[in-house]
Amino acid sequence: MSPPRAALTLASPEDTCALAAALAPGLRPGDVLLLSGEIGAGKTHFARCLIQALQEMPEDVPSPTFTLVQSYDTPAGEVWHADLYRLGDPDQVEELGLFEAFETAICLVEWPDRLGELAPPEALSLHFTAGEDEDARRLEAAWTDPRWDGVIPPLAA
């Protein structure tokens, strides 16, 4: 049996932010979102909007491409935003403290393929691709944990 899936078309960057803002209130520590897609597909934009939606006073959310991880305190709990693009080995993830964060924080992980078999099986996978129009994006969500059953289908409606 294949995991549940949902597909959405996001016509603009504003639609991507609206989706992130709609998803944000349902997140809690221990939730992991795996954000995949090519460079420029919208992963960081989505993460930035989601983090800002969780903050009481939205602040600048830089890409963690060079720092690898940025963390934020929010009313929903600590949020970790990781960009694993520059990692060459899944063992390097442990050095970042990411596995502990998977249990205690809301984690947004760009380039989750770098985790290999260490990716949390209960994570929500969000795959971004370019849409037909320049600003449009296609988003495919997949999950195995029933925790996401009530979250994603309403967003896809």
Side-chain angles (χ1 to χ4, degrees), residues 39-131:
I39 291 174
K43 301 176 300 292
T44 300
H45 181 69
F46 174 86
R48 182 175 290 126
C49 292
L50 192 145
I51 292 164
Q52 289 174 332
L54 290 170
Q55 295 174 325
E56 286 182 311
M57 295 291 290
E59 62 186 68
D60 185 41
V61 176
S63 171
T65 299
F66 296 103
T67 58
L68 301 179
V69 173
Q70 296 280 355
S71 64
Y72 304 88
D73 289 321
T74 75
E78 188 175 27
V79 177
W80 280 45
H81 181 196
D83 184 328
L84 306 182
Y85 182 75
R86 297 184 317 126
L87 294 186
D89 188 308
D91 292 337
Q92 293 173 316
V93 175
E94 189 169 352
E95 296 172 22
L96 297 174
L98 201 52
F99 295 121
E100 182 178 327
F102 288 163
E103 302 296 322
T104 62
I106 297 167
C107 294
L108 310 174
V109 181
E110 296 187 48
W111 301 97
D113 59 310
R114 305 304 200 263
L115 292 170
E117 293 182 13
L118 302 175
E122 66 280 356
L124 173 62
S125 295
L126 300 175
H127 183 76
F128 294 82
T129 55

